[in-house]
């Protein structure tokens, strides 16, 4: 069984070569020569390895900087079925690109994570991994296998292997490796950080393409991204949460293949803001009034801006999709004519006011008799009955998810008399307000 050290964000693994995806630039300097006559850089590396393995339970390898030895070290941590079914993720060109005094984070095709840095005048490497940054459930394992075009007969052994891996948040792992780099090399400045992850499985090795080929590959990525974006927004407009989340996962992978900045948190925030805007506009097509959507949108915008965690930002994206879908499912009005949409929206916005047929008809500028007839025809109940039901539904929501008193809730939803509110509530919900609160998922 694995041990969770901290939550972190999974970088998605996909089948192709690797591209550098983000960099924190720093001023590189030569490390000060090791003045100790009894402790070489390699001896310090061996001590640091023991520390990381003991504290984080992540395996650490020390090897010479050549592709053959690096491959042998890392494959020693993988079961045979993975070595036989997946290509090795570090290439000769990657090894040649490694620089001293830089910390590298590499995510492979299986979403396994590795950190490494060079020491001993670029002749040796310290490599930590494999580890995961989040729990690997069967859904995660199934998605990884599908992304790599592998048969699901590998699902059970792959899931068992993932359960044996340590789970460590990237922030913990990177801090431990930064400390090790400084201890081993004597480097005293800020350590630059670079991250490599697989390109999308359908993309070619862009570095070997002609300028025209690069443009075609980029266009292919964009086409995939906007294809899944369109499907995602269609499902949100219908309130289909499960399908929307499924298309979002694919859209998210395609977005990571295209968007690259030097600040991964800022990138995630920008994507979150864009997704929030798209979801709001999609929900609006279902007839949801912008006033209601603005409340949802503003709350998520504030959460996004105040977050500095990649894992938290990724969770916000899924939460946004779920919230918008549930809101559409509950409040969609696109099945009604424009006049009835206006009437229902007016009722919802002015729920605490003294609502009458006359006041509503004046508010949306239509005759009372026409509105009454059209409302009965489309909604299949009178306006007065609809108002009462809407007030009771809102009261039930507040009883479940707020600490407001029953009396304040009654006034908040437009009931001036507490006894009348209680009678109406019991008629619709078969329980008194107090009984309903006691039986709800979240009590007072």
């Amino acid at each position: 069984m694995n041990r969770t050290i901290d939550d972190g964000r999974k970088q998605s693994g996909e089948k192709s070569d690797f591209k550098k995806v983000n960099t924190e630039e720093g001023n590189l300097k030569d490390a000060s020569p090791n003045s100790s006559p009894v402790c070489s850089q390699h001896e310090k590396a061996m001590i640091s390895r023991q520390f990381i393995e003991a504290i984080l339970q992540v395996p650490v390898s020390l090897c010479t900087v050549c592709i053959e030895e690096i491959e042998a070290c890392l494959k020693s941590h993988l079961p045979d079925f993975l070595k036989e079914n997946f290509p090795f993720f570090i290439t000769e060109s990657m090894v040649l690109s490694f620089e001293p005094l830089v910390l590298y984070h590499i995510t492979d095709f299986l979403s396994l994570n590795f950190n490494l840095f060079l020491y001993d005048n670029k002749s040796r490497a310290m490599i930590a991994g494999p580890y995961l940054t989040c729990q690997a459930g069967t859904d995660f394992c199934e998605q990884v296998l599908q992304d790599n075009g592998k048969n699901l007969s590998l699902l059970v052994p792959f899931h068992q292997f993932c359960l044996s891996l340590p789970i460590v948040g990237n922030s913990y792992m990177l801090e431990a490796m930064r400390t090790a780099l400084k201890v081993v090399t004597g480097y005293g400045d800020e350590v630059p950080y670079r991250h490599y992850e697989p390109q999308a499985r359908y993309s070619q090795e862009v570095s070997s393409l002609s300028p025209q080929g690069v443009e075609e590959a980029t266009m292919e990525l964009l086409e995939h991204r906007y294809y899944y974006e369109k499907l995602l927004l269609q499902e949100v407009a219908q309130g289909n949460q499960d399908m929307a989340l499924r298309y979002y996962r694919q859209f998210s992978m395609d977005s990571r293949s295209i968007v690259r900045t030097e600040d991964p948190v800022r990138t995630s925030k920008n994507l979150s803001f864009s997704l929030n805007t798209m979801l709001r506009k999609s929900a609006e097509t279902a007839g949801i009034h912008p006033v209601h959507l603005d409340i949802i949108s503003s709350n998520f915008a504030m959460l996004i801006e105040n977050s500095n965690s990649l894992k938290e930002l990724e969770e916000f994206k899924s939460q946004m999709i779920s919230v918008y879908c549930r809101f559409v499912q509950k409040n969609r009005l696109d099945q009604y004519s424009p006049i009835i949409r206006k009437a229902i929206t007016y009722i919802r916005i002015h729920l605490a006011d003294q609502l009458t047929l006359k006041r509503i008809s004046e508010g949306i500028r239509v005759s009372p008799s026409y509105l009454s007839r059209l409302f009965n025809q489309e909604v299949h109940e009178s306006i007065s009955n609809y108002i009462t039901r809407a007030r009771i539904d809102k009261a039930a929501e507040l009883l479940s998810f707020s600490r407001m008193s029953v009396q304040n809730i009654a006034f908040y939803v437009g009931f001036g008399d507490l006894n009348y509110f209680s009678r109406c509530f019991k008629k619709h919900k078969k329980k008194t307000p107090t009984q309903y609160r006691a039986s709800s998922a979240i009590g007072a």
Side-chain angles (χ1 to χ4, degrees):
M1 184 63 68
N2 50 24
R3 173 187 172 201
T4 301
I5 304 297
D6 181 37
D7 289 329
R9 186 174 74 91
K10 172 177 71 63
Q11 301 288 343
S12 181
E14 303 161 282
K15 187 177 180 182
S16 182
D17 203 354
F18 291 72
K19 291 220 27 146
K20 184 170 64 181
V21 297
N22 55 56
T23 305
E24 293 176 10
E25 296 294 347
N27 297 321
L28 295 182
K29 300 178 182 178
D30 290 333
S32 300
N34 181 13
S35 59
S36 172
V38 295
C39 197
S40 67
Q41 286 196 1
H42 189 54
E43 289 170 328
K44 291 178 181 178
M46 289 190 287
I47 295 171
S48 297
R49 174 180 65 182
Q50 293 173 3
F51 178 81
I52 291 174
E53 289 182 335
I55 298 300
L56 301 182
Q57 299 184 0
V58 175
V60 178
S61 302
L62 304 177
C63 62
T64 59
V65 182
C66 68
I67 185 64
E68 293 80 12
E69 187 163 345
I70 291 174
E71 181 172 357
C73 283
L74 297 187
K75 281 189 173 181
S76 68
H77 300 294
L78 302 178
D80 289 339
F81 77 91
L82 291 182
K83 290 185 280 190
E84 293 167 359
N85 285 279
F86 294 87
F88 187 56
F89 55 94
I90 295 181
T91 64
E92 181 72 35
S93 61
M94 287 174 64
V95 173
L96 293 174
S97 72
F98 291 154
E99 300 174 14
L101 308 179
V102 176
L103 179 58
Y104 295 91
H105 173 204
I106 302 171
T107 307
D108 74 355
F109 303 117
L110 299 168
S111 294
L112 306 182
N113 294 273
F114 300 82
N115 292 168
L116 71 85
F117 65 82
L118 308 185
Y119 65 97
D120 263 356
N121 197 26
K122 294 182 60 176
S123 66
R124 291 180 176 273
M126 181 172 179
I127 310 174
Y131 67 93
L132 291 171
T133 60
C134 63
Q135 291 282 357
T138 53
D139 289 345
F140 165 83
C141 295
E142 183 177 336
Q143 188 67 52
V144 168
L145 293 175
Q146 289 178 347
D147 290 343
N148 286 277
K150 299 301 179 181
N151 193 295
L152 291 183
S153 61
L154 297 174
L155 179 59
V156 172
F158 179 50
H159 185 221
Q160 290 299 314
F161 168 69
C162 288
L163 290 176
S164 72
L165 293 174
I167 299 175
V168 187
N170 275 328
S171 59
Y172 272 69
M173 197 66 236
L174 295 175
E175 186 59 32
M177 287 294 283
R178 277 192 172 108
T179 301
L181 185 153
K182 291 182 177 182
V183 168
V184 171
T185 65
Y187 186 61
D189 290 346
E190 183 66 25
V191 177
Y193 161 73
R194 296 178 186 172
H195 181 221
Y196 290 79
E197 69 177 9
Q199 295 180 42
R201 61 186 180 279
Y202 43 76
S203 111
Q204 303 177 55
E205 187 176 354
V206 175
S207 60
S208 64
L209 296 176
S210 64
Q212 181 180 2
V214 172
E215 183 178 351
E216 289 174 354
T218 303
M219 287 298 295
E220 183 181 359
L221 291 176
L222 287 170
E223 287 170 1
H224 275 266
R225 180 188 178 192
Y226 288 115
Y227 170 73
Y228 285 107
E229 176 187 301
K230 181 179 179 181
L231 293 177
L232 162 64
L233 298 180
Q234 286 176 349
E235 297 301 331
V236 172
Q238 297 298 316
N240 298 330
Q241 179 178 324
D242 291 343
M243 289 301 297
L245 288 170
R246 180 181 300 179
Y247 289 133
Y248 166 71
R249 285 191 288 270
Q250 186 63 54
F251 166 77
S252 179
M253 286 191 294
D254 295 343
S255 296
R256 282 199 296 269
S257 301
I258 295 170
V259 181
R260 293 173 169 83
T261 74
E262 294 183 359
D263 183 351
V265 173
R266 186 70 259 171
T267 295
S268 187
K269 284 187 178 184
N270 292 342
L271 289 173
S272 299
F273 286 131
S274 298
L275 179 63
N276 192 15
T277 300
M278 289 190 295
L279 295 173
R280 186 185 68 219
K281 291 182 177 179
S282 179
E284 194 171 349
T285 64
I288 310 296
H289 196 277
V291 168
H292 300 298
L293 296 175
D294 186 63
I295 296 172
I296 299 174
S297 177
S298 298
N299 283 330
F300 273 115
M302 183 171 60
L303 290 172
I304 292 166
E305 187 55 47
N306 291 335
S307 175
N308 289 306
S309 163
L310 288 172
K311 181 177 185 295
E312 190 174 60
L313 288 166
E314 193 60 35
E315 289 174 350
F316 285 157
K317 294 171 191 174
S318 297
Q319 288 171 9
M320 280 193 294
I321 293 170
S322 297
V323 168
Y324 277 106
C325 283
R326 289 197 299 269
F327 197 82
V328 167
Q329 209 169 42
K330 182 178 178 181
N331 300 284
R332 63 181 309 160
L333 301 175
D334 53 336
Q335 70 270 40
Y336 300 126
S337 64
I339 289 176
I340 298 305
R341 290 187 203 177
K342 289 180 181 179
I344 292 176
T345 299
Y346 187 93
I347 291 168
R348 289 175 177 175
I349 293 175
H350 298 87
L351 206 57
D353 299 340
Q354 294 298 316
L355 289 172
T356 62
L357 174 61
K358 181 181 179 182
R359 180 169 180 176
I360 297 168
S361 60
E362 288 175 350
I364 64 173
R365 298 180 182 180
V366 66
S367 74
S369 59
Y370 178 66
L371 175 60
S372 178
R373 184 169 65 253
L374 191 61
F375 200 96
N376 276 281
Q377 179 181 325
E378 293 191 25
V379 185
H380 308 298
E381 65 178 325
S382 68
I383 284 185
S384 61
N385 284 345
Y386 181 88
I387 292 170
T388 300
R389 183 164 57 84
R391 284 172 167 164
I392 295 300
D393 287 343
K394 183 63 178 178
E397 180 182 319
L398 292 171
L399 286 165
S400 296
F401 300 105
S402 82
R403 295 181 179 274
M404 293 174 63
S405 68
V406 173
Q407 183 174 8
N408 286 341
I409 288 174
F411 293 154
Y412 184 85
V413 299
F415 285 93
D417 184 277
L418 182 59
N419 291 328
Y420 179 59
F421 165 69
S422 297
R423 290 198 301 274
C424 289
F425 193 95
K426 188 171 183 180
K427 177 181 177 182
H428 283 81
K429 300 298 182 181
K430 311 304 180 187
K431 295 178 181 179
T432 66
T434 303
Q435 290 170 338
Y436 186 89
R437 167 168 274 174
S439 64
S440 63
I442 302 178

